[in-house]
Amino acid sequence: MSRPAGAAGSQSSLREANRQLVVETVKRYGGLTQVELATATGLSQATVSTIVRELYAAGVVDTVATTRSGRRAQMVTLARRVGLAAGIQIGHRHLRVALGDFSHEILAEQTLPLPVEHRVDTTLDRVALLVVDLLERVGASLQDIVGMGVGVPAPVDAATGMISVHGIMPGWDDVHLGQVLSKRLDLPVYVDNDANLGAFAESTAGAARDFSDSLFVRASYGVGAGIVLGNQVFRGFAGTAGEIGHLTVAPDGDECRCGRRGCLDTVVGSSALLDAIGPVPGIASLRDVVQRANQGDERCGDAVAEAGSVIGTAVAGLALAVNPQVVVIGGELAETGETLVAPLRAALQRYALPNRIAPLEVVRAGLGSRAEMVGALALAVQSTDVPLSVEETVDVGGLG
């Protein structure tokens, strides 16, 4: 008896949907074993094994032998021939640029210092030049890049790629960052807040990988938080979710970049830390504070610890609102380790409701200072559709 045409069509559609599900899951995490893929997708191990064989034959995925819990396993990643992606982190005082593939492996990267209040046109010029330079290093071209992710230290409206709150980055307010870079490099460009990107990276490849709900707190020149709920970054309307740096903690305090007074950034940001430490020879920047604190300088260590306590108090309110399983601490200040994290953890435990069923964990970022850059790279990858056959893929020179 022949199978009805409708049933055959349904089976074909189901197989196609399952292949796409496997590809999207591998794309999100960069690489998973077949057992992990079955768990993440809800498909049977037999179905996953068949799909992986089909995708491998089509040139879409690569497999490599690995071990998990002492047992042999097959790691599945998207093939490098699918294309490359660029990840950019534009900070207050530095610029990081990286090239990577769809397995989230970084192939080349470079960091440059930036002047205070760096200009948008000059900085975007540097981004374009560095991307081209890194491509030359790895023997690839702009045609090999499928997309670029960009992180900035300000709230971003994902729909427009523009900073959504005026004054946070003076001179950058009315610039369509994604459009400008897209025209310069002829690439799709995706822009997001740096804390959101750090949260995304840590939830897929870092310290929050095993949790579906997490907070990423970026303690640097300012403070921001990225929120992940149900394995998805929560940005809020126009991208202002997690902007804890602009919580009012001292109503009669100093004026903030946002125009209000007493924001958290004015109490624990880099300028406030330097003011608290006072004029000390050799301490003129946040990097100096971190280095001296790690060397045992008591004045710097006390200032960082006090900042940790204040940040922890602010994060407690956010934790009460979203009930995360883990809080991940990143940014330059996190490089001081427990000097920052211990008082931050203590404040969280003091002011957030204790959950006896699932106690809140507080850990340092697993990806360290690269979290935001890795997140920008992952944003580009996640925003790119992956074809299901090799004929549609990009040939990445000698990188295959």
Side-chain angles (χ1 to χ4, degrees), residues 296-321:
D297 185 289
E298 186 173 348
R299 188 180 298 187
C300 290
D302 288 347
V304 171
E306 177 61 24
S309 181
V310 176
I311 293 170
T313 302
V315 173
L318 184 57
L320 283 170

Side-chain angles (χ1 to χ4, degrees), residues 266-348:
T266 68
V267 177
V268 299
S270 59
S271 296
L273 279 176
L274 290 170
D275 288 344
I277 294 167
V280 177
I283 300 180
S285 67
L286 182 65
R287 175 56 54 191
D288 296 332
V289 173
V290 170
Q291 184 176 357
R292 288 290 189 91
N294 287 336
Q295 292 171 347
D297 185 289
E298 186 173 348
R299 188 180 298 187
C300 290
D302 288 347
V304 171
E306 177 61 24
S309 181
V310 176
I311 293 170
T313 302
V315 173
L318 184 57
L320 283 170
V322 302
N323 188 29
Q325 298 161 284
V326 63
V327 176
V328 180
I329 313 300
E332 279 85 351
L333 278 183
E335 294 175 22
T336 63
E338 288 297 301
T339 302
L340 174 80
V341 175
L344 194 157
R345 184 186 294 115
L348 262 173

Side-chain angles (χ1 to χ4, degrees), residues 55 67 74 138 167 318 383:
L55 293 173
T67 57
Q74 284 288 324
V138 301
L318 184 57
S383 302

